[in-house]
Amino acid sequence: MGTLSAAVDLLLEDRRPDAVRVLAARERRVEAVAAASFVLAAVGLAVALAPDGSLPELQTAALVATYAVLARVRFALGSGFTLPTQLAVVPILLLLPPAFAPALVGLGLVLSRLPELVTGKAPAERLLTSLADGWYVVVPAALLALVAPGGALEGTTWPLWVAALGLQIAGDLVASTLRECLGSGVAPSLQVGVIGQIAIVDVLLSCVGLLAAFGSETRPYAFLLTLPLVAGLEVFARDRAARIARALALVDDLARERERALAAQRRIGETAAANLDRPALEQIIVATAVEFVQADGGRLSVSEGPDESLAPRALAGIQDDLDGALTAVEAAVTQGSGLTEASLGGATAIGLPVESADRSPRVLAVARQGRGFSVSECEFLGTLAEQAAVCLQNLVLHERVERLAAIDELTGLLNHRRLQEVLAREVRRAERYAGSLALVMLDLDDFKQVNDRFGHQQGDAVLRAVAEVVLASVRKIDSAARYGGEELAIVLPEIDIDGAVRLAERIRGAIADVDVPIPDGGTLSVTASIGVAAFGPTAPGRQELVAAADAALYRSKRGGKNRVEVAGAAAPA
């Protein structure tokens, strides 16, 4: 039952019975079919089973008007409403020829919609749903018309009335379930639960309607005495509608709060991402400080002077007085004064230290013209400085971890995984912008003999010396890495094959000139075989480029070592 209640609440929230909405195309088609078939059934029943004679005009008009009034009293439930129309339906079925009941109910439903249609509060298509709502009375009317065509109040028994009520509830269940399932996709199980609640209300009101019919047997308009009850029901219905409206408004407010929370979460995510980017993090720190205290300028500086990577907005518009006040505060904080305030001319600045794991003294300072800073503003800056210190410490730790993950510990060059990432990025860039890219593969000659003769520690010293030579030879935009063992690789963006070969020759010669000290005295020299390949038609991807450079490297090995070979070219003289 708890699951059904929760599902009904969700359906109520989704369908919004407090608001008149335009039907979707699928709903409109289903409602049109349901309304047309109801009209045909009502007309067919009246023609086929109605007795000879006319209806009592005034009583009939009063019953239809009562039904129209009752149909306007709506209790929101599930995806729709429950109406107290049993107070009029039972008298219509029992006091009048039952064959006319569907037509009279359809007329009452249309009349109940007229105020909204006239004022434009509801679209005309809502007439379709009103007529389709009358299906529940067709089956019981047919049953009673077959047994007592002139009127079911006399000559019938209680079991017949109970059967008619049961058929009415069953017909309402089938018709509503089909309409909601076909038109809106509401699960039949959910609709059965909703109709079950409506059925309880119908049974209770049917007893009152039966009493009204009994009273109207001798007093033709006794059923009108149910109208005070209708007025009371309207009061309760309005109160419930108001409660639902407030609840749904609260749902809307919660939805808006959720959006704001998600926006804040996105901002936190951006800040967290900025923690991995020093300039962006410093921009956030300074901009937050300036905005909160409504300062005219601010900056985050180190002991050597203002950091050039600060947010342009935070540094914009700093006049001479502001700059002088900031400088004075920074000097005082650097000398260990802690939270400090300084004034120059009409400008007042406040600054405080920001600790960092990299041991670089930083000062967060803001300044403004005209007035000083309150205690609460100073407290906020203190809290911000603490948070900034944590973020900067996390940044330094991240940089250390990232370095450990990307750098070969022995040589200080990039490791194999980082090399593959760099190479893949440079290949994509060369493809997009039709740029030049070359790869150099380098392998130390006879390196196993070094390890076997002098030991692995001496081999490590050789690798470190060779790595220093390589790092000293490449450009800032190049990436040198330890490919594996004694094999190195150099990614050379924005360079053609001739330039790559010249760089490879310089590295080869520099390695041959290196003398690595031996612990027992003397020095050790090594040479390197090098292969060079360029990104292009013969090496259109990362794997092809590596394979081409590697093939050139082994061709250099087979050609005598200590030489440079170019992929796809003859050996140099």
Side-chain angles (χ1 to χ4, degrees):
M1 186 66 182
T3 302
L4 175 62
S5 176
V8 170
D9 290 341
L10 289 175
L11 186 62
L12 179 65
E13 178 185 338
D14 179 64
R15 301 295 295 279
R16 304 301 296 264
D18 62 316
V20 177
R21 61 184 179 87
V22 177
L23 297 177
R26 176 181 170 184
E27 292 179 290
R28 193 179 301 112
R29 289 192 296 269
V30 172
E31 295 300 316
V33 172
S37 58
F38 168 74
V39 172
L40 292 176
V43 172
L45 191 61
V47 171
L49 298 179
D52 297 335
S54 59
L55 293 169
E57 296 179 357
L58 293 179
Q59 188 184 41
T60 301
L63 284 169
V64 172
T66 301
Y67 184 95
V69 171
L70 291 171
R72 293 187 59 80
V73 180
R74 304 184 171 209
F75 285 92
L77 184 63
S79 61
F81 303 91
T82 180
L83 314 176
T85 51
Q86 289 297 105
L87 298 176
V89 168
V90 173
I92 288 176
L93 287 171
L94 300 183
L95 296 175
L96 303 177
F100 290 112
L104 297 176
V105 166
L107 177 61
L109 288 169
V110 172
L111 291 175
S112 70
R113 278 290 183 182
L114 282 182
E116 286 82 4
L117 296 175
V118 172
T119 58
K121 294 181 179 180
E125 64 184 9
R126 281 294 176 176
L127 279 177
L128 299 176
T129 60
S130 295
L131 288 172
D133 287 341
W135 257 109
Y136 71 97
V137 79
V138 172
V139 178
L143 173 64
L144 294 175
L146 290 172
V147 176
L153 192 58
E154 296 181 358
T156 56
T157 61
W158 282 96
L160 181 63
W161 296 340
V162 172
L165 178 59
L167 289 174
Q168 173 190 325
I169 294 174
D172 191 17
L173 172 61
V174 173
S176 299
T177 300
L178 286 175
R179 289 167 58 196
E180 292 294 340
C181 182
L182 297 176
S184 304
V186 177
S189 59
L190 179 58
Q191 191 64 24
V192 168
V194 175
I195 293 298
Q197 301 176 59
I198 295 175
I200 295 174
V201 177
D202 287 345
V203 170
L204 296 175
L205 292 179
S206 294
C207 298
V208 180
L210 188 60
L211 291 176
F214 286 154
S216 299
E217 185 179 12
T218 56
R219 303 288 183 178
Y221 302 101
F223 60 85
L224 294 176
L225 294 175
T226 59
L227 292 179
L229 175 61
V230 175
L233 293 175
E234 173 67 10
V235 172
F236 291 123
R238 288 181 180 273
D239 178 70
R240 176 169 170 77
R243 290 175 182 272
I244 291 175
R246 288 195 294 270
L248 293 175
L250 178 60
V251 170
D252 292 338
D253 291 340
L254 291 176
R256 286 191 290 269
E257 287 296 330
R258 181 174 179 272
E259 285 299 319
R260 283 195 288 268
L262 289 175
Q265 185 178 6
R266 286 191 293 270
R267 288 195 296 271
I268 292 173
E270 292 171 358
T271 304
N275 285 343
L276 309 182
D277 182 353
R278 188 184 298 270
L281 176 59
E282 292 175 342
Q283 290 173 9
I284 291 174
I285 294 171
V286 177
T288 302
V290 170
E291 290 175 4
F292 185 85
V293 301
Q294 297 180 345
D296 296 323
R299 64 193 181 203
L300 184 66
S301 61
V302 294
S303 58
E304 294 80 11
D307 194 332
E308 296 179 356
S309 64
L310 301 183
R313 180 186 182 281
L315 295 175
I318 294 182
Q319 303 171 358
D320 291 341
D321 288 349
L322 294 176
D323 183 69
L326 288 171
T327 302
V329 162
E330 291 164 351
V333 173
T334 303
Q335 295 172 4
S337 301
L339 180 65
T340 305
E341 183 173 326
S343 298
L344 181 65
T348 301
I350 188 171
L352 65 170
V354 177
E355 301 296 334
S356 177
D358 60 359
R359 307 299 181 186
S360 299
R362 285 178 171 81
V363 177
L364 174 62
V366 293
R368 66 186 176 202
Q369 295 279 2
R371 60 190 178 92
F373 295 90
S374 65
V375 175
S376 61
E377 290 173 332
C378 293
E379 291 176 349
F380 168 79
L381 288 177
T383 302
L384 179 61
E386 293 175 358
Q387 295 174 346
V390 172
C391 291
L392 288 170
Q393 289 170 1
N394 290 338
L395 173 63
V396 172
L397 292 175
H398 170 77
E399 290 174 344
R400 290 176 180 174
V401 171
E402 188 178 49
R403 175 177 175 81
L404 291 175
I407 301 299
D408 177 68
E409 183 177 359
L410 175 62
T411 62
L413 304 177
L414 298 179
N415 58 26
H416 183 88
R417 180 183 63 83
R418 183 58 175 166
L419 169 69
Q420 297 296 335
E421 295 175 356
V422 171
L423 189 57
R425 183 191 66 214
E426 294 299 337
V427 166
R428 289 195 299 270
R429 181 177 299 172
E431 288 175 341
R432 177 176 299 179
Y433 301 108
S436 301
L437 175 64
L439 176 65
V440 172
M441 299 290 287
L442 179 155
D443 186 80
L444 297 183
D445 298 327
D446 304 318
F447 185 74
K448 184 177 183 302
Q449 296 180 14
V450 175
N451 286 329
D452 293 343
R453 182 178 178 184
F454 299 101
H456 287 84
Q457 291 184 347
Q458 188 64 39
D460 292 346
V462 171
L463 284 173
R464 283 193 292 268
V466 171
E468 292 176 2
V469 169
V470 171
L471 288 175
S473 303
V474 299
R475 304 167 300 171
K476 289 185 177 180
I477 63 172
D478 300 333
S479 300
R482 185 181 182 187
Y483 194 82
E486 68 275 15
E487 191 171 1
L488 310 182
I490 309 170
V491 181
L492 304 173
E494 302 301 327
I495 192 172
D496 59 18
I497 190 64
D498 293 334
V501 170
R502 287 194 296 269
L503 176 61
E505 281 290 354
R506 286 201 304 271
I507 293 175
R508 185 198 60 77
I511 292 174
D513 292 338
V514 170
D515 291 324
V516 181
I518 300 174
D520 295 338
T523 58
L524 172 66
S525 298
V526 293
T527 60
S529 298
I530 301 176
V532 182
F535 174 77
T538 60
R542 175 172 58 89
Q543 294 180 351
E544 294 84 355
L545 185 59
V546 172
D550 204 42
L553 167 62
Y554 282 98
R555 195 163 65 247
S556 174
K557 288 280 190 182
R558 292 191 300 269
K561 304 178 183 178
N562 191 24
R563 56 194 290 133
V564 175
E565 282 282 355
V566 181

